[in-house]
Amino acid sequence: MSTVWQLASSGVRAHRGAFAGTAVVLAVAAAVLAVTGVLFESGLRTQSAGDLASGGLLVSLASSYAGTLVVVVVMVVAATVSLALRSRRREFALLRAVGATPAQVRRTVTAEVAVVSLVAAPVGAVAGLFGARLLDPLLVRGGMVAPDFTSTLSPLPVLAAVALIAVTAVPVGRLGAREAARTAPTAALQQSAVEDREVGKGRRLTALALTLGGLGTAFSSLWVPGTTGAATASLSAFLLIGAVALAGPVLVGWIFDRLAQAHPSGGRPATMLAVRNVRGFSRRLTTVVVPLALVVAAATVQTSVNRAITTAAQQELVASVAADLVVTPTEAAATDLTAQVAAVPSVTSAVPLATVPGQLRTDDELDGALAWEATALRVVPAGTTALDPDVVDGSLAGLGAPDTVAVSSDTAFTSGAGLGETLTLRLGEDVVEATVVAVFSRGLGVGSLLTGPATAETHGLPVVADTVLVDLAAGTDAADAAVAIAALGAIAADPETHVATALRSAGGENEIGTALLLLLLAVVAVGAASTLAMTTVARRDELALLHRTGTTRRQLLAMTTVEATITGVTAWVVGTVAVVPAVVGVSAGVLDGPPVVDLVSYGVVSAAVVVFALAATALAARRTTRLATAVV
């Protein structure tokens, strides 16, 4: 065993250039995982300290972000480690030729990857642990936590991040070593000069399964309601990118074959060489295309899903308010604002709405904070017609009785509690078995749970109106009524204006979402930069051979530039195609209208992918080309 570790240490030192890029990717991935772990642990501890609402929000935020993050980290780490090992196929072949057994090669490579992982991952995880404190101001501005909130720091997020990196990188390294060890030495030496774009039957079948799964998942929002369906549909893009990663050599090779057929053979030498190179090395370039395509897919699906849900919430809330004006109190408003508004001339009705905190039990088999999810119950008068959540089963009139709730179709689906069944809620100090008296469809707009004043008051929760829905007499000028209501210390606006203002005021929550998205993209960008640099540096012998046969240094730089452009554009196309089903599926499930895309984010990321490919390749190619041309 000591011999294996000695060989592993020697291998890491001998290939420190390739492993340096891998180590950076592992460190960044571990840092972002640790940040997510800090958010999750802070949420649990905040709940244990009694702040159920803030703790629940943090746990929900970390949980929703962690799923996408884990998928991205696994794909990026796998691509980086695979590329680092692929460039050493000749070395593995020589080891086999001088008598090394396949088992020895596998053990050596596995130990190398383990060494790099156990060095890089803890460093990155510790940096992420302390860097998580930088998110505290964003959480406070977003209203998710109290002003005196401080993230909880402990070794647990570090240990979890290191464990996840290790169980991702080491098996990938072992699989890569297994492929090299099973190949005969002479065949491996031949493959190091000419790539085989064929993939095994197992990879083909897995890629097909991921493709079918991705297409099926994309439209799961048609039968899975609300945010649950949207979150499920958004995974489609990552499944399709995973299919590309598995079948990439065949797919990318086919694309480059079409490009070579379209390009005339008598063109400029640099362009001709670039087209021929990308056609012959599709397997190598797949490891570059996949991370770049993942950047396009991850950024587009995250921003577009958020926009689709925001747009759907706006549509549903506007449709649910059956009133002329929506009134919200300011600090100067009196406690009996509803009565004062009702007394304003031309006001025919004033319906108060309030919000009370609570917790919903999500798992009967768990104990502690994990079994409860923080939620907010919208308090509405029983049988009101001023708010129309589009009841599809039951009646809001049932909310007049204590311990009753109406649930959104999304909540009914996830909890399994339909009409006449019960939900376990924690209201104040009481655990309540609340009976479902209605199911409604506009959960994104009005909230997931509605209850009546009787339920809140029975359990000691103060019902303070935060919104008043006002109907005006026929012929009344809404602007005059708004001025009269403003004199009472409140703001009155029509439903459309009220909803638009409320969405703009949610900027703090958008800040934390943007920050987490940037962290996610940082993992992908570092992985893409590493693969681009390793791919270019590994071509030193190839560039030297081209130089010996008459290709000038300028032509070599021009060739690598054209290759980078082709690679970047291919990644953009693949990422765009992979994300289209998810965007269409999410929009079809939650929107009443055509699909929505965050065009600004999509345009910026698309341009950045191509520019990034050019810049990263140019930096690595300049030095590599200078060294290659200095050989002669």
Side-chain angles (χ1 to χ4, degrees), residues 546-617:
L546 288 172
H547 184 58
R548 292 192 187 99
T549 58
T551 309
T552 66
R553 179 181 295 182
R554 177 175 297 181
Q555 288 174 330
L556 291 177
L557 289 174
M559 178 191 73
T560 56
T561 300
V562 174
E563 289 179 9
T565 303
I566 295 173
T567 302
V569 171
T570 301
W572 166 68
V573 171
V574 171
T576 300
V577 172
V579 84
V580 166
V583 170
V584 173
V586 170
S587 297
V590 300
L591 281 178
D592 182 15
V596 296
V597 178
D598 191 333
L599 293 176
V600 174
S601 299
Y602 172 71
V604 169
V605 171
S606 298
V609 162
V610 179
V611 173
F612 186 80
L614 286 169
T617 301

Side-chain angles (χ1 to χ4, degrees), residues 171-239:
V172 169
R174 188 167 183 84
L175 288 174
R178 181 186 178 191
E179 180 183 355
R182 284 169 42 179
T183 307
T186 54
L189 288 171
Q190 292 173 350
Q191 291 174 6
S192 65
V194 179
E195 286 187 349
D196 181 10
R197 70 172 58 170
E198 291 299 319
V199 297
K201 183 177 180 181
R203 287 184 61 172
R204 287 176 179 267
L205 293 177
T206 306
L208 178 61
L210 287 177
T211 301
L212 296 176
L215 294 176
T217 301
F219 297 97
S220 60
S221 59
L222 296 178
W223 60 85
V224 180
T227 55
T228 303
T232 304
S234 65
L235 293 177
S236 165
F238 300 104
L239 292 176

Side-chain angles (χ1 to χ4, degrees), residues 145-389:
V145 294
D148 60 348
F149 171 79
T150 302
S151 297
T152 301
L153 303 185
S154 78
L156 294 179
V158 174
L159 296 176
V162 172
L164 182 59
I165 293 297
V167 300
T168 301
V170 174
V172 169
R174 188 167 183 84
L175 288 174
R178 181 186 178 191
E179 180 183 355
R182 284 169 42 179
T183 307
T186 54
L189 288 171
Q190 292 173 350
Q191 291 174 6
S192 65
V194 179
E195 286 187 349
D196 181 10
R197 70 172 58 170
E198 291 299 319
V199 297
K201 183 177 180 181
R203 287 184 61 172
R204 287 176 179 267
L205 293 177
T206 306
L208 178 61
L210 287 177
T211 301
L212 296 176
L215 294 176
T217 301
F219 297 97
S220 60
S221 59
L222 296 178
W223 60 85
V224 180
T227 55
T228 303
T232 304
S234 65
L235 293 177
S236 165
F238 300 104
L239 292 176
L240 293 177
I241 292 292
V244 172
L246 290 173
V250 176
L251 176 62
V252 175
W254 180 85
I255 295 173
F256 291 156
D257 283 346
R258 305 288 81 74
L259 179 64
Q261 292 173 6
H263 185 270
S265 58
R268 298 178 59 183
T271 304
M272 182 180 66
L273 284 172
V275 172
R276 298 304 184 270
N277 274 337
V278 297
R279 183 184 185 185
F281 291 94
S282 61
R283 185 178 290 271
R284 177 183 67 193
L285 291 174
T286 296
T287 57
V288 179
V289 168
V290 169
L292 291 175
L294 189 58
V295 172
V296 177
T300 304
V301 77
Q302 289 290 328
T303 56
S304 296
V305 167
N306 289 341
R307 171 159 293 192
I309 291 177
T310 301
T311 304
Q314 182 174 1
Q315 290 177 348
E316 291 186 4
L317 186 52
V318 170
S320 66
V321 176
D324 298 316
L325 293 176
V326 180
V327 177
T328 52
T330 65
E331 293 182 356
T335 55
D336 60 343
L337 176 65
T338 303
Q340 292 183 357
V341 171
V344 172
S346 73
V347 171
T348 59
S349 70
V351 178
L353 304 180
T355 302
V356 295
Q359 286 184 297
L360 171 65
R361 187 169 185 88
T362 57
D363 196 326
D364 294 333
E365 297 181 359
L366 292 177
D367 292 323
L370 286 178
W372 296 89
E373 178 182 315
T375 186
L377 287 82
R378 198 67 168 146
V379 181
V380 301
T384 181
T385 58
L387 186 71
D388 178 17

Side-chain angles (χ1 to χ4, degrees), residues 293-564:
L294 189 58
V295 172
V296 177
T300 304
V301 77
Q302 289 290 328
T303 56
S304 296
V305 167
N306 289 341
R307 171 159 293 192
I309 291 177
T310 301
T311 304
Q314 182 174 1
Q315 290 177 348
E316 291 186 4
L317 186 52
V318 170
S320 66
V321 176
D324 298 316
L325 293 176
V326 180
V327 177
T328 52
T330 65
E331 293 182 356
T335 55
D336 60 343
L337 176 65
T338 303
Q340 292 183 357
V341 171
V344 172
S346 73
V347 171
T348 59
S349 70
V351 178
L353 304 180
T355 302
V356 295
Q359 286 184 297
L360 171 65
R361 187 169 185 88
T362 57
D363 196 326
D364 294 333
E365 297 181 359
L366 292 177
D367 292 323
L370 286 178
W372 296 89
E373 178 182 315
T375 186
L377 287 82
R378 198 67 168 146
V379 181
V380 301
T384 181
T385 58
L387 186 71
D388 178 17
D390 190 24
V391 175
V392 295
D393 201 3
S395 171
L396 294 184
L399 295 179
D403 296 345
T404 56
V405 291
V407 301
S408 67
S409 53
D410 189 3
T411 301
F413 178 84
T414 55
S415 66
L419 185 67
E421 298 179 309
T422 60
L423 283 177
T424 304
L425 299 173
R426 183 181 286 164
L427 301 177
E429 299 298 326
D430 301 334
V431 175
V432 182
E433 294 296 329
T435 303
V436 177
V437 297
V439 179
F440 56 90
S441 67
R442 292 173 179 160
L444 290 176
V446 302
S448 59
L449 294 173
L450 302 180
T451 192
T455 298
E457 293 168 354
T458 298
H459 300 285
L461 298 176
V463 180
V464 180
D466 55 30
T467 306
V468 181
L469 303 183
V470 175
D471 275 331
L472 302 175
T476 301
D477 188 340
D480 293 339
V483 171
I485 293 172
L488 303 175
I491 300 173
D494 60 86
E496 292 81 0
T497 303
H498 167 75
V499 172
T501 303
L503 291 176
R504 283 196 300 269
S505 67
E509 295 182 15
N510 293 334
E511 282 185 355
I512 187 66
T514 301
L516 293 177
L517 176 60
L518 290 176
L519 289 176
L520 183 70
L521 294 181
V523 176
V524 186
V526 171
S530 177
T531 54
L532 283 166
M534 285 192 293
T535 300
T536 304
V537 171
R539 299 177 61 189
R540 178 177 172 181
D541 292 342
E542 172 193 337
L543 297 179
L545 178 61
L546 288 172
H547 184 58
R548 292 192 187 99
T549 58
T551 309
T552 66
R553 179 181 295 182
R554 177 175 297 181
Q555 288 174 330
L556 291 177
L557 289 174
M559 178 191 73
T560 56
T561 300
V562 174
E563 289 179 9

Side-chain angles (χ1 to χ4, degrees), residues 80-105:
T80 306
V81 173
S82 296
L83 181 60
L85 296 177
R86 183 169 297 282
S87 62
R88 298 173 59 192
R89 294 180 67 87
R90 181 182 292 274
E91 174 189 336
F92 296 148
L94 291 175
L95 286 175
R96 292 289 314 283
V98 297
T101 65
Q104 289 174 327
V105 173

